[in-house]
Amino acid sequence: MNKPFSLFLILFLFIFQTAVFSADQACELIDKSRIKTIHIANFLPASIVQDVNVKVSAGYTEKQAKGIVGELIARTEIEEGKISVPGDPRERKSIVSFFESNGCSVSLKHTGDQGVDDVFIISVANGYRIDRRYNPIFHESKYDGRCTLKLSQTKNMCKQLSIQWLGHSLDKLGRRLKKSEVVNDGVCLVTPNAELEIKACGACWKEFRDSIEWLNGQLMSGHFYRTASVLCTSGKLTIYSING
């Protein structure tokens, strides 16, 4: 093989591999025209400020406190059945609330405050098992003074709520869980409650790990929904469906 041809072949293979890699890494585009408002609620601004101040007093920064309040208010609205998805009107519960009601404290964050804000699922009648026949809802919560929904473009994981971002977040959480192996790494017991049967830490860890694997499977097969919410300083909460 002569040198010019060898050089051409190497260059061709490099360009081909680069093109394939780029295609695999292409970020999903969230089409703004397909983001639809599905619920609006209004709360007293003073109550929002009070909730934020309570979190600040507990040691959170103001930014962290606003984020937490935005998540909790959106979670309450969704759990109270204020939104529904086409052809599937059943009420959903946050997966965090689901595990708490079963004696486990869990977090969807994989690193600090990074990760999926919330996932809403349907549980079977007795409330002890996730009904996996129904698609989960991945949710992102925002607190924004100008009432604007901004899904951040992350440096290495594409835009928030994109399929790539969700996949990376679940993968990182799954790896954290596998490494933790029940060593008090965000998955263990809540404060004992006489009305709850508190589960062993190992059982909580295994069930949560299995649930994350299921969510990843739902994401990869396209069997999921996406929503986002914005809480404003005025007390207005808007929840949107994100269809791509």
Side-chain angles (χ1 to χ4, degrees), residues 170-234:
L170 292 176
D171 285 342
K172 284 193 171 185
L173 178 57
R175 287 197 295 270
R176 179 178 72 79
L177 287 172
K178 288 179 181 178
K179 288 180 180 178
S180 69
E181 295 189 359
V182 201
V183 188
N184 285 332
D185 191 10
V187 182
C188 200
L189 302 181
V190 294
T191 304
N193 184 326
E195 298 178 358
L196 294 177
E197 178 183 351
I198 303 300
K199 292 188 178 183
C201 194
C204 290
W205 175 83
K206 183 180 183 302
E207 290 176 17
F208 187 51
R209 181 201 62 188
D210 291 346
S211 297
I212 297 305
E213 291 178 355
W214 169 69
L215 289 173
N216 221 335
Q218 294 293 106
L219 179 68
M220 293 301 100
S221 62
H223 296 141
F224 64 93
Y225 304 105
R226 290 176 285 192
T227 55
S229 60
V230 178
L231 178 64
C232 316
T233 52
S234 65

Side-chain angles (χ1 to χ4, degrees), residues 87-106:
D88 188 1
R90 294 187 61 177
E91 294 180 10
R92 284 169 168 75
K93 175 186 286 190
S94 165
I95 197 169
V96 175
S97 301
F98 168 80
F99 274 94
E100 285 181 350
S101 67
N102 284 284
C104 303
S105 177
V106 302

Side-chain angles (χ1 to χ4, degrees), residues 61-126:
T61 66
E62 184 176 354
K63 182 179 179 180
Q64 290 171 332
K66 288 179 177 179
I68 293 170
V69 170
E71 288 181 26
L72 293 177
I73 289 179
R75 178 180 297 170
T76 300
E77 287 291 289
I78 294 174
E79 289 186 333
E80 289 181 353
K82 302 296 177 62
I83 72 167
S84 63
V85 293
D88 188 1
R90 294 187 61 177
E91 294 180 10
R92 284 169 168 75
K93 175 186 286 190
S94 165
I95 197 169
V96 175
S97 301
F98 168 80
F99 274 94
E100 285 181 350
S101 67
N102 284 284
C104 303
S105 177
V106 302
S107 172
L108 292 164
K109 307 299 184 182
H110 56 77
T111 308
D113 191 40
Q114 298 178 25
V116 180
D117 282 343
D118 225 329
V119 177
F120 294 90
I121 51 89
I122 291 176
S123 60
V124 294
N126 60 14

Side-chain angles (χ1 to χ4, degrees), residues 12-28:
F12 171 78
L13 289 174
F14 174 78
I15 294 173
F16 176 77
Q17 290 173 348
T18 302
V20 171
F21 177 80
S22 298
D24 289 341
Q25 297 300 312
C27 294
E28 177 195 13

